[in-house]
Amino acid sequence: MTATVTPVATATSATSAASLASATAEKTGARTPEAVGVIENARERIDALDDRIIGLVQERMAVSAVIQEARITSGGRRVSLSREMEILGHYRDALGKPGTTLAMTLLELCRGRV
């Protein structure tokens, strides 16, 4: 038994495929199917990297809390400004001026606002 496709079904499928391709191209900003594929794969990789970065930041926050607790318990201050300056310099040297902003954000997440 051979299945036949009616012209209406073919037109509907073609319209549906065109709509999907248009929506995907609009979402990615790509103008070719090849570029859509490259962008979608790269975005998946970025999402995976972001998940790892978030996990590392959360781990950094936990380690920082241990350091702060030990410092305070021993009679010290919660924050070591000289250490923070080292961290700022490290990020600036590695990433340029935006690295300083990133480091400040990490420091704020790990120790709160000073």
Side-chain angles (χ1 to χ4, degrees), residues 15-36:
T15 302
S16 200
S19 294
L20 179 60
S22 176
T24 302
E26 186 175 311
K27 183 178 176 184
T28 63
R31 297 187 182 235
T32 65
E34 294 79 17
V36 168

Side-chain angles (χ1 to χ4, degrees), residues 58-74:
Q58 290 170 333
E59 183 177 348
R60 189 187 195 289
M61 291 169 69
V63 172
S64 182
V66 169
I67 292 169
Q68 288 178 51
E69 179 64 27
R71 193 181 293 125
I72 291 167
T73 300
S74 71

Side-chain angles (χ1 to χ4, degrees), residues 8-49:
V8 172
T10 303
T12 302
S13 295
T15 302
S16 200
S19 294
L20 179 60
S22 176
T24 302
E26 186 175 311
K27 183 178 176 184
T28 63
R31 297 187 182 235
T32 65
E34 294 79 17
V36 168
V38 168
I39 291 167
E40 286 178 339
N41 288 336
R43 284 182 176 173
E44 286 177 18
R45 179 81 173 119
I46 284 174
D47 290 345
L49 289 167

Side-chain angles (χ1 to χ4, degrees), residues 68 71-72 76-84 107 111-114:
Q68 288 178 51
R71 193 181 293 125
I72 291 167
R77 303 176 109 198
R78 182 173 63 97
V79 175
S80 170
L81 296 179
S82 62
R83 175 64 177 147
E84 288 195 358
L107 291 170
R111 54 112 162 99
R113 290 185 178 254
V114 174

Side-chain angles (χ1 to χ4, degrees), residues 77-98:
R77 303 176 109 198
R78 182 173 63 97
V79 175
S80 170
L81 296 179
S82 62
R83 175 64 177 147
E84 288 195 358
M85 293 306 292
E86 288 177 29
I87 293 166
L88 291 169
H90 180 68
Y91 275 77
R92 182 191 61 244
D93 292 346
L95 302 172
K97 188 177 178 183

